[in-house]
Amino acid sequence: MQTYVLPAIYAVIVILALPLLAGCVLIAERQFRAYLQGRGNSEAVKPGLWEPITEVTKLLMAEDVRPSGTNPLVFWAAPVVSLLVVLLAFSVMPIGPAFHLADPNIGLFFVFGIGSLAVHGVVLGGWASNAQNSMTSALGAAAQLIVYGAVTILGVLSALLLSSSLSLKEIAQAQLERGQWFIFYVPVGFAAYFLGSLRITTLTSLDSASPGNESDMAFISAYRGFRRCLYLLAGYINVILVACIATTVFLGGWLRPLAGYRDRFPGTSVELLDVLPAMVMMGAGIYFFWRARRLTVNIRRTGGFLVAGLCVVAAALLLGVLFTSEGFMQGVHGAFWFVLKACAYIYFVFWFRFEFLPAHRDMLSRLEWRMLIPVALVNLITAAVAILTSQDTGWPMRLTTLLATAATLGVAWWLFKNPPDELAALKAGGE
Amino acid sequence: MLNTLFFYFLSAIAVGSAILMVTRRNIAHAAIFLVTALLATAGIFLQLQSEFLFIVQVFLYAGGIMVLFIFVIMLLNLEPAARLAKFNRSQVIAATLALVLGAQILYAVFVGRSSLRLPALQANISPQNTEAVGDALFHQFIVPFEIVSVLLLVSLIGAAVMAKRRA
Amino acid sequence: MLSIAHYLILSLALFTVGVVGVLARRNLIIMLMSVELILNAVNINLVAFSRLHGSVDGQAFAIFVMADAAAEAVVGLSIILVFFRNRGTVRADEMDLLKW
């Protein structure tokens, strides 16, 4: 019975907390986009932190219509498939050293394999809507999912070479043994994963003139009410999923930065760097407190102080956990670092998408079509050569992977300077 | 006990979906039933403790080949007239022939049933299943591996050439 | 208690359904999908026997069967696509001219 308690807690957390976290991601996306675009978020009516609740309530209160001529079973099943796939892929994510639902030996492969079924959710949704616009948009979104899913897998593969195991827990553990997070060993792989995940999480066309208008994600245009809510929820949980995969594979999972550094405080058994989480949360608390002092609207002031207080409480908690058993402390701190890194990744994705993308969309498209897949493949080959060289000759892995990265970037530069023939003809003709 | 239950559940889904697939008039429905049949087969693989093949089946078949099928089905707007049920005698003859074939093989299984005991299931899945399969692929089966990669390349080129519109 | 006969009969059932689909249906796409079903039945057979013998060879071969099925599905579907573009039908009994 004991072995089922922790996975049961995990399953409950995943099912209950993920939609709430998806709501947080929604707030983050909208406010961040508003901030980067130099405007406030919906100035007239400002739901602020109530935004996910208002969105969901609005969707839930809509009438449940089903277009005529569609198959009721498929129309019902398509959003369910979408959400099911994303939630299922979460079942193997290790948030702490022992905090996961299951740790199969094929963990990473499981996530990508189940994730490949997401295409079905999109295509069936578009087909079941019985409208040409939905169908075309669904096929486009599905094509994007497939191609950029393959790109993310290529990126992850190069990190997989270093861990020699598909189990997600062992991948994170291998980053402890290798001494560095895998992002420092295979940065090009991380770049490939990043660009691929960018395109997976926006199923709209990034090349569209004005993102965020009505024609985005047209394949769900026939879905109203709760069904649309399921699709949007699946989309936001997908963002969290790619962030969690990136954290586990590239950013060290639940490991604290400099995890191998094990100096302790003199006289105690508390490690020096283990006070970092508490310091981070205290810093956040002080920052929120400072910002809240300047606010004028009463409820926002109270809210700001509340958040600051919560941060201080969290800092005290993280500090207090240091004096409990080793396993529990590892678990709590591991969860903290995992969530922090996943949030940092989501922040990075949103920053890239909203700051860099609107002005340089064509540059990104050219980069992707010309270089992404060849460079990812070359990176795989050079990383494999680097690892084997390091094992055979005894050179440090960091040196060989550095040389491999340099070689890959050299190939990328050459590809950039010598585009394939058709594109050169286009360039000569004037794009 | 749970093992047997899973097996019967998954095989019921697999055979039921297969029968539903070959009897549907609507091609898109048939494709969806094939997806469920393939996923049930993946479950059977997992139940046979071959986890690598389970995930390859989900990835390749359900997430790859079936997506291809569904794309083609959606892109070809087949007219409804093709979906009219036309019952003809050749279908009955075909079904009978297939069932006779099945009965023959069933008889073969029945005759040899004494030698078909499975060894007792191990306590946990062998942690080296993926490594073992990879090992076999790259040591004993290296030549078929290389040939299959050429085969996939050929099919890729062939499909790309065939699907191009001749201007 | 499960014996390998269970898996063989399951594989046989899927195989028979696939053969019925290939023989009795006229629509080319459904025939191709029934062929995929047959290949899956073969895979179940291979993996069951690999489990019986305790070796991994059956599973490795099943991967080859899957790769073959993928290649065949790709080529078959592109042939169907071209044929549909030219003749406007995917019914097997309407493909009765060698050259038109």
Side-chain angles (χ1 to χ4, degrees):
Chain A
M1 212 61 218
Q2 175 65 27
T3 55
Y4 291 119
V5 168
L6 209 58
I9 297 177
Y10 183 94
V12 166
I13 286 182
V14 160
I15 295 180
L16 289 184
L18 271 182
L20 299 175
L21 291 175
C24 297
V25 172
L26 190 152
I27 301 175
E29 180 193 14
R30 294 204 178 172
Q31 298 220 345
F32 200 25
R33 172 162 55 195
Y35 174 68
L36 283 176
Q37 288 173 352
R39 56 175 172 90
N41 188 21
S42 54
E43 284 293 341
V45 177
K46 215 161 187 164
L49 290 179
W50 296 103
E51 185 142 14
I53 302 180
T54 55
E55 284 283 316
V56 171
T57 317
K58 185 177 65 174
L59 285 168
L60 282 177
M61 279 170 28
E63 180 188 353
D64 183 25
V65 292
R66 182 174 69 84
S68 67
T70 67
N71 186 10
L73 191 64
V74 180
F75 192 76
W76 168 84
V80 171
V81 164
S82 241
L83 188 59
L84 197 72
V85 156
V86 178
L87 285 181
L88 198 60
F90 249 104
S91 62
V92 296
M93 282 298 158
I95 299 185
F99 199 39
H100 49 71
L101 186 65
D103 184 38
N105 294 102
I106 48 168
L108 189 67
F109 203 1
F110 181 83
V111 171
F112 281 115
I114 299 291
S116 73
L117 295 178
V119 183
H120 283 293
V122 167
V123 172
L124 290 177
W127 173 67
S129 305
N130 202 23
Q132 190 57 38
N133 193 22
S134 301
M135 189 72 244
T136 322
S137 159
L139 290 177
Q144 216 178 33
L145 266 178
I146 297 173
V147 172
Y148 293 101
V151 166
T152 59
I153 291 175
L154 281 176
V156 158
L157 269 179
S158 50
L160 211 59
L161 292 171
L162 284 162
S163 77
S164 65
S165 167
L166 281 169
S167 152
L168 284 168
K169 204 161 75 165
E170 285 183 32
I171 292 178
Q173 203 68 31
Q175 296 180 66
L176 177 62
E177 288 158 19
R178 298 276 186 191
Q180 262 184 5
W181 296 349
F182 285 163
I183 184 178
F184 299 117
Y185 280 125
V186 279
V188 181
F190 179 73
Y193 180 84
F194 182 75
L195 290 174
S197 73
L198 201 71
R199 279 275 198 162
I200 288 181
T201 50
T202 34
L203 291 183
T204 74
S205 167
L206 277 178
D207 313 323
S208 68
S210 59
N213 65 356
E214 194 52 45
S215 70
D216 275 355
M217 291 183 77
F219 62 92
I220 59 172
S221 59
Y223 285 87
R224 295 283 156 195
F226 192 57
R227 304 175 201 267
R228 174 177 282 244
C229 184
L230 287 181
Y231 262 123
L232 298 174
L233 196 63
Y236 283 113
I237 297 181
N238 199 13
V239 174
I240 305 179
L241 180 70
V242 296
C244 287
I245 299 174
T247 314
T248 314
V249 176
F250 288 109
L251 296 177
W254 64 81
L255 299 170
R256 144 194 111 211
L258 298 171
Y261 186 74
R262 293 203 170 269
D263 265 350
R264 292 159 189 260
F265 277 113
T268 63
S269 63
V270 174
E271 294 173 25
L272 267 178
L273 287 176
D274 268 340
V275 300
L276 266 181
M279 279 168 47
V280 167
M281 288 312 282
M282 188 62 91
I286 294 175
Y287 172 73
F288 284 127
F289 183 74
W290 191 256
R291 285 290 296 266
R293 288 178 70 230
R294 307 290 195 82
L295 289 174
T296 49
V297 179
N298 219 1
I299 188 161
R300 285 205 209 129
R301 212 175 144 90
T302 326
F305 283 133
L306 194 68
V307 170
L310 279 174
C311 286
V312 173
V313 165
L317 225 96
L318 286 166
L319 206 54
V321 155
L322 282 175
F323 301 104
T324 58
S325 73
E326 178 84 17
F328 190 62
M329 180 206 81
Q330 293 275 5
V332 172
H333 278 214
F336 172 79
W337 284 118
F338 189 90
V339 171
L340 188 68
K341 290 177 205 176
C343 291
Y345 186 85
I346 297 179
Y347 182 88
F348 196 30
V349 164
F350 283 156
W351 171 78
F352 196 89
R353 195 191 297 172
F354 298 136
E355 158 127 15
F356 185 71
L357 218 47
H360 303 286
R361 212 173 294 126
D362 55 337
M363 208 189 288
L364 187 70
S365 295
R366 225 178 304 155
L367 185 92
E368 286 170 357
W369 284 110
R370 221 177 268 184
M371 287 178 22
L372 197 51
I373 294 185
V375 168
L377 282 170
V378 167
N379 178 47
L380 190 59
I381 298 173
T382 52
V385 167
I387 295 169
L388 284 177
T389 316
S390 157
Q391 279 174 356
D392 284 343
T393 63
W395 289 357
M397 186 86 75
R398 295 168 204 216
L399 178 64
T400 47
T401 45
L402 197 65
L403 292 173
T405 312
T408 314
L409 288 175
V411 169
W413 180 250
W414 179 86
L415 264 176
F416 186 66
K417 283 299 175 189
N418 304 307
D421 282 347
E422 310 164 17
L423 292 165
L426 266 179
K427 204 157 71 164
E431 293 197 276
Chain B
M1 197 343 242
L2 204 61
N3 219 8
T4 321
L5 204 67
F6 272 133
F7 170 76
Y8 281 121
F9 177 64
L10 287 169
S11 30
I13 294 182
V15 175
S17 304
I19 293 178
L20 282 171
M21 182 202 91
V22 300
T23 51
R24 289 304 101 195
R25 289 294 140 198
N26 190 346
I27 309 179
H29 294 175
I32 295 170
F33 281 123
L34 187 58
V35 172
T36 49
L38 293 174
L39 288 175
T41 313
I44 297 280
F45 287 152
L46 189 61
Q47 205 253 335
L48 275 168
Q49 298 185 340
S50 56
E51 51 187 9
F52 183 66
L53 222 59
F54 151 71
I55 199 61
V56 166
Q57 169 95 353
V58 171
F59 209 177
L60 195 59
Y61 257 115
I65 296 180
M66 287 321 296
V67 166
L68 197 60
F69 268 102
I70 290 184
F71 260 66
V72 169
I73 291 172
M74 304 304 171
L75 285 174
L76 304 178
N77 299 320
L78 298 160
E79 76 279 10
R83 298 197 230 128
L84 286 174
K86 286 186 205 153
F87 182 76
N88 50 354
R89 205 175 43 175
S90 66
Q91 283 185 341
V92 176
I93 297 176
T96 318
L97 276 176
L99 287 172
V100 163
L101 178 66
Q104 282 178 331
I105 306 179
L106 190 64
Y107 178 69
V109 171
F110 181 72
V111 161
R113 69 186 180 283
S114 56
S115 66
L116 294 175
R117 289 262 146 247
L118 268 178
L121 293 168
Q122 288 113 20
N124 52 349
I125 295 178
S126 157
Q128 264 82 35
N129 182 259
T130 311
E131 284 95 330
V133 173
D135 223 17
L137 272 181
F138 284 108
H139 286 135
Q140 287 125 292
F141 291 100
I142 184 68
V143 174
F145 183 79
E146 298 295 335
I147 295 179
V148 158
S149 55
V150 173
L151 174 76
L152 288 172
L153 179 69
V154 163
S155 70
L156 204 66
I157 296 177
V161 163
M162 269 198 286
K164 251 201 310 193
R165 283 193 188 271
R166 312 219 173 188
Chain C
M1 199 57 222
L2 282 177
S3 76
I4 202 174
H6 291 83
Y7 294 100
L8 288 187
I9 296 180
L10 167 68
S11 154
L12 174 68
L14 284 176
F15 180 82
T16 315
V17 172
V19 168
V20 169
V22 170
L23 291 179
R25 293 298 301 259
R26 291 288 172 265
N27 198 324
L28 271 183
I29 301 183
I30 303 238
M31 288 164 75
L32 204 55
M33 290 202 285
S34 309
V35 169
E36 299 292 329
L37 204 53
I38 293 174
L39 289 166
N40 260 288
V42 166
N43 270 345
I44 296 180
N45 216 345
L46 276 169
V47 175
F49 274 116
S50 131
R51 172 83 172 77
L52 178 70
H53 295 305
S55 87
V56 130
D57 290 346
Q59 297 175 26
F61 205 75
I63 291 188
F64 290 130
V65 172
M66 278 187 205
D68 267 330
E72 165 197 337
V74 162
V75 172
L77 281 173
S78 53
I79 291 179
I80 291 178
L81 207 62
V82 169
F83 200 87
F84 182 76
R85 220 185 270 154
N86 281 322
R87 288 288 274 169
T89 177
V90 283
R91 290 179 60 84
D93 48 5
E94 292 174 22
M95 300 174 176
D96 50 4
L97 293 177
L98 274 180
K99 194 171 166 61
W100 60 86

